Short mmCIF file of all heavy atoms in Angstrom, two decimals:
data_model
loop_
_atom_site.label_atom_id
_atom_site.label_comp_id
_atom_site.label_asym_id
_atom_site.label_seq_id
_atom_site.Cartn_x
_atom_site.Cartn_y
_atom_site.Cartn_z
N SER A 579 116.26 125.78 203.47
CA SER A 579 117.65 125.37 203.12
C SER A 579 118.51 126.64 202.89
O SER A 579 119.75 126.57 203.12
CB SER A 579 117.66 124.56 201.80
OG SER A 579 117.09 125.26 200.70
N HIS A 580 117.92 127.75 202.43
CA HIS A 580 118.70 128.99 202.27
C HIS A 580 119.15 129.54 203.60
O HIS A 580 120.33 129.83 203.82
CB HIS A 580 117.81 129.96 201.54
CG HIS A 580 118.38 131.40 201.44
ND1 HIS A 580 119.68 131.62 201.12
CD2 HIS A 580 117.81 132.58 201.73
CE1 HIS A 580 119.93 132.95 201.16
NE2 HIS A 580 118.77 133.55 201.56
N HIS A 581 118.19 129.66 204.53
CA HIS A 581 118.56 130.28 205.84
C HIS A 581 119.40 129.33 206.74
O HIS A 581 120.00 129.80 207.66
CB HIS A 581 117.30 130.73 206.54
CG HIS A 581 116.64 131.89 205.84
ND1 HIS A 581 117.24 133.19 205.78
CD2 HIS A 581 115.44 132.01 205.16
CE1 HIS A 581 116.48 134.01 205.13
NE2 HIS A 581 115.39 133.34 204.74
N LEU A 582 119.25 128.02 206.50
CA LEU A 582 120.12 127.07 207.23
C LEU A 582 121.45 126.81 206.53
O LEU A 582 122.17 125.94 206.94
CB LEU A 582 119.33 125.77 207.39
CG LEU A 582 118.08 125.84 208.28
CD1 LEU A 582 117.25 124.55 208.20
CD2 LEU A 582 118.47 126.14 209.73
N ARG A 583 121.67 127.53 205.42
CA ARG A 583 122.97 127.45 204.67
C ARG A 583 123.23 126.03 204.20
O ARG A 583 124.42 125.59 204.15
CB ARG A 583 124.12 127.96 205.52
CG ARG A 583 124.10 129.40 205.81
CD ARG A 583 125.38 129.92 206.41
NE ARG A 583 125.36 131.34 206.58
CZ ARG A 583 126.43 132.07 206.86
NH1 ARG A 583 127.57 131.45 207.10
NH2 ARG A 583 126.36 133.39 207.00
N LEU A 584 122.14 125.31 203.80
CA LEU A 584 122.37 124.01 203.20
C LEU A 584 122.63 124.12 201.67
O LEU A 584 123.65 123.65 201.18
CB LEU A 584 121.20 123.08 203.46
CG LEU A 584 121.18 121.79 202.68
CD1 LEU A 584 122.31 120.88 203.16
CD2 LEU A 584 119.78 121.05 202.78
N ILE A 585 121.69 124.78 201.05
CA ILE A 585 121.79 124.91 199.58
C ILE A 585 120.93 126.03 199.11
O ILE A 585 119.89 126.34 199.75
CB ILE A 585 121.34 123.53 198.89
CG1 ILE A 585 121.57 123.55 197.41
CG2 ILE A 585 119.89 123.25 199.22
CD1 ILE A 585 121.32 122.16 196.77
N TYR A 586 121.34 126.67 198.02
CA TYR A 586 120.62 127.90 197.54
C TYR A 586 120.01 127.50 196.22
O TYR A 586 120.70 127.34 195.23
CB TYR A 586 121.48 129.03 197.42
CG TYR A 586 120.82 130.35 197.13
CD1 TYR A 586 120.15 131.04 198.14
CD2 TYR A 586 120.85 130.91 195.88
CE1 TYR A 586 119.50 132.26 197.94
CE2 TYR A 586 120.19 132.11 195.64
CZ TYR A 586 119.52 132.78 196.63
OH TYR A 586 118.90 133.98 196.37
N ILE A 587 118.66 127.44 196.08
CA ILE A 587 118.05 126.97 194.89
C ILE A 587 117.12 128.02 194.18
O ILE A 587 116.48 127.68 193.24
CB ILE A 587 117.23 125.66 195.19
CG1 ILE A 587 116.10 125.98 196.19
CG2 ILE A 587 118.13 124.57 195.69
CD1 ILE A 587 115.15 124.78 196.35
N TYR A 588 117.12 129.24 194.67
CA TYR A 588 116.22 130.18 194.06
C TYR A 588 116.54 130.45 192.59
O TYR A 588 115.60 130.65 191.75
CB TYR A 588 116.23 131.54 194.88
CG TYR A 588 115.46 131.44 196.17
CD1 TYR A 588 116.03 131.41 197.36
CD2 TYR A 588 114.01 131.31 196.07
CE1 TYR A 588 115.33 131.38 198.55
CE2 TYR A 588 113.28 131.20 197.24
CZ TYR A 588 113.89 131.23 198.48
OH TYR A 588 113.17 131.12 199.58
N PRO A 589 117.87 130.48 192.19
CA PRO A 589 118.09 130.67 190.72
C PRO A 589 117.45 129.57 189.86
O PRO A 589 116.90 129.87 188.82
CB PRO A 589 119.62 130.63 190.66
CG PRO A 589 120.04 131.12 191.97
CD PRO A 589 119.06 130.57 192.95
N GLN A 590 117.51 128.28 190.35
CA GLN A 590 116.88 127.23 189.62
C GLN A 590 115.38 127.37 189.57
O GLN A 590 114.79 127.09 188.58
CB GLN A 590 117.27 125.88 190.25
CG GLN A 590 116.69 124.65 189.51
CD GLN A 590 117.37 124.52 188.16
OE1 GLN A 590 118.50 124.74 188.01
NE2 GLN A 590 116.55 124.02 187.16
N ILE A 591 114.79 127.82 190.66
CA ILE A 591 113.34 128.03 190.66
C ILE A 591 112.96 129.08 189.65
O ILE A 591 111.96 128.90 188.97
CB ILE A 591 112.89 128.39 192.14
CG1 ILE A 591 113.08 127.24 193.04
CG2 ILE A 591 111.41 128.83 192.08
CD1 ILE A 591 112.74 127.56 194.53
N GLU A 592 113.76 130.17 189.61
CA GLU A 592 113.43 131.27 188.64
C GLU A 592 113.57 130.76 187.22
O GLU A 592 112.78 131.05 186.33
CB GLU A 592 114.30 132.43 188.87
CG GLU A 592 114.01 133.21 190.20
CD GLU A 592 112.58 133.71 190.19
OE1 GLU A 592 112.18 134.23 189.19
OE2 GLU A 592 111.96 133.56 191.24
N LYS A 593 114.62 129.96 186.98
CA LYS A 593 114.82 129.43 185.62
C LYS A 593 113.66 128.49 185.28
O LYS A 593 113.24 128.44 184.06
CB LYS A 593 116.15 128.66 185.60
CG LYS A 593 116.45 128.06 184.22
CD LYS A 593 117.76 127.31 184.25
CE LYS A 593 117.99 126.63 182.87
NZ LYS A 593 119.33 125.92 182.94
N ASN A 594 113.16 127.71 186.19
CA ASN A 594 112.06 126.74 185.90
C ASN A 594 110.78 127.49 185.47
O ASN A 594 109.95 126.88 184.83
CB ASN A 594 111.82 125.88 187.14
CG ASN A 594 112.83 124.80 187.29
OD1 ASN A 594 113.60 124.48 186.40
ND2 ASN A 594 112.90 124.23 188.50
N LYS A 595 110.65 128.77 185.83
CA LYS A 595 109.47 129.42 185.43
C LYS A 595 109.41 129.65 183.93
O LYS A 595 108.32 129.90 183.38
CB LYS A 595 109.40 130.82 186.16
CG LYS A 595 109.21 130.71 187.62
CD LYS A 595 109.20 132.09 188.32
CE LYS A 595 109.01 131.94 189.82
NZ LYS A 595 109.04 133.26 190.51
N THR A 596 110.54 129.59 183.25
CA THR A 596 110.54 129.77 181.80
C THR A 596 110.44 128.40 181.09
O THR A 596 110.44 128.41 179.84
CB THR A 596 111.88 130.43 181.37
OG1 THR A 596 113.00 129.55 181.69
CG2 THR A 596 112.05 131.74 182.13
N ILE A 597 110.40 127.29 181.80
CA ILE A 597 110.34 125.97 181.18
C ILE A 597 108.91 125.50 181.16
O ILE A 597 108.22 125.50 182.22
CB ILE A 597 111.22 124.99 181.98
CG1 ILE A 597 112.66 125.41 181.95
CG2 ILE A 597 111.07 123.54 181.36
CD1 ILE A 597 113.62 124.54 182.76
N HIS A 598 108.44 125.09 180.02
CA HIS A 598 107.12 124.56 179.89
C HIS A 598 107.26 123.06 179.64
O HIS A 598 107.82 122.61 178.65
CB HIS A 598 106.31 125.23 178.72
CG HIS A 598 106.13 126.65 178.96
ND1 HIS A 598 105.21 127.14 179.77
CD2 HIS A 598 106.78 127.73 178.47
CE1 HIS A 598 105.21 128.50 179.81
NE2 HIS A 598 106.19 128.87 178.97
N LEU A 599 106.70 122.26 180.59
CA LEU A 599 106.95 120.84 180.46
C LEU A 599 106.27 120.16 179.32
O LEU A 599 106.73 119.10 178.92
CB LEU A 599 106.44 120.16 181.80
CG LEU A 599 107.19 120.56 183.08
CD1 LEU A 599 106.65 119.73 184.24
CD2 LEU A 599 108.65 120.32 182.92
N SER A 600 105.29 120.77 178.78
CA SER A 600 104.66 120.23 177.61
C SER A 600 105.57 120.03 176.43
O SER A 600 105.34 119.19 175.58
CB SER A 600 103.49 121.07 177.20
OG SER A 600 103.82 122.38 176.94
N GLN A 601 106.70 120.77 176.42
CA GLN A 601 107.63 120.68 175.27
C GLN A 601 108.35 119.32 175.33
O GLN A 601 108.91 118.86 174.34
CB GLN A 601 108.64 121.81 175.32
CG GLN A 601 109.56 121.77 176.53
CD GLN A 601 110.51 122.97 176.59
OE1 GLN A 601 111.37 123.01 175.70
NE2 GLN A 601 110.37 123.79 177.53
N PHE A 602 108.36 118.63 176.49
CA PHE A 602 109.05 117.37 176.65
C PHE A 602 108.08 116.24 176.47
O PHE A 602 108.50 115.06 176.40
CB PHE A 602 109.72 117.25 177.99
CG PHE A 602 110.76 118.32 178.25
CD1 PHE A 602 110.50 119.39 179.08
CD2 PHE A 602 111.99 118.21 177.62
CE1 PHE A 602 111.48 120.35 179.28
CE2 PHE A 602 112.98 119.19 177.87
CZ PHE A 602 112.72 120.19 178.68
N PHE A 603 106.79 116.51 176.30
CA PHE A 603 105.81 115.44 176.09
C PHE A 603 105.49 115.34 174.60
O PHE A 603 105.42 116.35 173.87
CB PHE A 603 104.53 115.79 176.82
CG PHE A 603 104.69 115.91 178.31
CD1 PHE A 603 103.85 116.71 179.11
CD2 PHE A 603 105.70 115.23 178.93
CE1 PHE A 603 103.98 116.78 180.42
CE2 PHE A 603 105.83 115.33 180.32
CZ PHE A 603 105.01 116.16 181.05
N THR A 604 105.27 114.19 174.17
CA THR A 604 104.87 113.94 172.77
C THR A 604 103.52 113.29 172.72
O THR A 604 103.07 112.69 173.71
CB THR A 604 105.91 112.98 172.09
OG1 THR A 604 106.00 111.78 172.82
CG2 THR A 604 107.25 113.62 171.98
N SER A 605 102.85 113.41 171.68
CA SER A 605 101.48 112.85 171.53
C SER A 605 101.53 111.38 171.67
O SER A 605 102.57 110.71 171.39
CB SER A 605 100.93 113.25 170.13
OG SER A 605 99.75 112.50 169.89
#
Side-chain angles (χ1 to χ4, degrees):
S579 63
H580 171 48
H581 291 294
L582 293 169
R583 292 193 175 188
L584 170 68
I585 188 173
Y586 189 77
I587 62 173
Y588 283 111
Q590 182 67 36
I591 293 176
E592 290 301 315
K593 180 181 178 181
N594 284 343
K595 293 179 181 179
T596 65
I597 298 176
H598 298 283
L599 294 184
S600 56
Q601 65 182 295
F602 299 105
F603 300 152
T604 55
S605 169

